[in-house]
Amino acid sequence: THSVIVATGANSRWLGIEGEDDFRGGGVSTCATCDGFLFRDEPVVVIGGGDTAMEDALVLARTSSHVTLVHRRDSFRASKVLAERVKFHDR
């Protein structure tokens, strides 16, 4: 089973990719705090590079087996403190 948390900031922004609508609420979510427990002991992917993505990655790291962060730029937009926490987290 594969799941994706889309961390888009204060307002949810969907990626607009094929299949995204089909899996909303069933593997694709925009709220790690709300839905993270559904992915306990599962590998997850967080898409984004800002503070929300970093915070969601850290939330999911508590319960998920592995967190992969996908970002389109060569550097994160998140605060340095959050980005460092995520980079050096063991999951």
Side-chain angles (χ1 to χ4, degrees), residues 4-5 9 15 21 23 26 28 39 45-46 52 65 67 74 80 90:
V4 176
I5 303 286
L15 299 173
D21 290 333
F23 293 101
V28 176
F39 311 111
V45 174
V46 175
T52 300
S65 64
V67 179
D74 60 353
K80 186 174 182 175
D90 62 346

Side-chain angles (χ1 to χ4, degrees), residues 7 47-56 69 71 73 75-79 82-83 86:
I47 300 172
D51 285 343
T52 300
M54 299 300 151
E55 290 167 0
D56 285 354
L69 189 62
H71 182 54
R73 295 185 176 93
S75 62
F76 295 123
R77 296 181 71 173
S79 69
L82 276 174
V86 169

Side-chain angles (χ1 to χ4, degrees), residues 49-72:
D51 285 343
T52 300
M54 299 300 151
E55 290 167 0
D56 285 354
L58 291 170
V59 165
L60 291 166
R62 291 186 217 147
T63 56
S64 301
S65 64
H66 181 81
V67 179
T68 301
L69 189 62
V70 176
H71 182 54
R72 64 183 171 180

